[in-house]
Amino acid sequence: MIETLAVALRRINSGLALVVGLVLLATAGFVVADITLRQLSHSFGGSDEISGYVMAGVASWGLSYALTELAHVRIDLIRLKLQSRGRAMMDLFAMTVSAAAVSIIAYQAWPVLEKSLLRGSRANTPLETPLWIPQAIWFSGWVWFAVSSCLVVLLALVMVMRADYPAADALIGARGEVEEAK
């Protein structure tokens, strides 16, 4: 059951990463087209503004994929010298701290969106984008990252309590370049 939930979370985040990648690719195409049109004295306008919003959304939504793919950076000098139980405990501690930090970030991101909604804030640009739109995408990415992180902590905690250290390592363990090459 626990492993099934871990696999499902990974699949969801893989699907989200695909969508995020397609949005990023479309944005790059839009920017290239706008640059090309500028050479012909025309422009869509706002490509810099839109690409900035997309980058914020892509960053917040992409973090969950990096989480489930074990792609976040870690310094594992001490971890590598420990037995499987010690590694699992360090990984669980690191994941718990990360989940707590991300949850605080998501919580603190809400007032930014809330103010834009209450004030009807718009960008001070020619597009006058209602700021709640890009901020809602950005905020929801942080919330999903927090939810994913907390789920991973709970799943890993169950695995560690069962003394299933290989499963915990597969879920939250650090992967180094040396291990990946094997």
Side-chain angles (χ1 to χ4, degrees), residues 10-141:
R10 192 171 188 199
R11 280 192 184 144
I12 290 167
N13 282 323
S14 291
L16 290 170
L18 181 60
V19 171
V20 165
L22 291 172
V23 168
L24 192 57
L25 190 60
T27 303
F30 174 68
V31 169
V32 168
D34 193 40
I35 291 169
T36 303
L37 283 174
R38 287 180 198 168
Q39 301 305 313
L40 303 171
S41 300
H42 297 295
S43 176
F44 292 128
S47 64
D48 55 340
E49 180 180 352
I50 292 168
S51 63
Y53 297 145
V54 168
M55 289 305 294
V58 163
S60 67
W61 278 97
L63 290 168
S64 296
Y65 175 72
L67 170 76
T68 54
E69 293 299 314
L70 305 175
H72 288 244
V73 175
R74 257 194 240 180
I75 300 171
D76 58 354
L77 182 67
I78 297 169
R79 181 190 179 276
L80 291 174
K81 301 198 183 299
L82 299 173
Q83 298 296 322
S84 61
R85 182 175 187 267
R87 284 195 306 268
M89 297 307 286
M90 284 194 77
D91 291 338
L92 184 58
F93 175 74
M95 183 52 42
T96 302
V97 171
S98 295
V102 170
S103 296
I104 291 168
I105 291 169
Y107 178 78
Q108 293 297 323
W110 168 248
V112 175
L113 175 57
E114 182 182 36
K115 283 181 186 173
S116 292
L117 287 167
L118 291 174
R119 296 178 182 168
S121 300
R122 294 183 165 276
N124 187 15
T125 61
L127 292 181
E128 293 185 3
T129 306
L131 290 178
W132 70 267
I133 296 170
Q135 288 173 353
I137 295 167
W138 169 77
F139 170 72
S140 60

Side-chain angles (χ1 to χ4, degrees), residues 2 67 70 74 79 82-101 148-165 167-174:
I2 297 300
L67 170 76
L70 305 175
R74 257 194 240 180
R79 181 190 179 276
L82 299 173
Q83 298 296 322
S84 61
R85 182 175 187 267
R87 284 195 306 268
M89 297 307 286
M90 284 194 77
D91 291 338
L92 184 58
F93 175 74
M95 183 52 42
T96 302
V97 171
S98 295
S148 292
S149 297
C150 290
L151 283 172
V152 166
V153 166
L154 290 173
L155 295 172
L157 181 61
V158 170
M159 291 171 180
V160 168
M161 288 173 54
R162 283 199 229 154
D164 190 355
Y165 304 124
D169 186 56
L171 180 65
I172 60 171

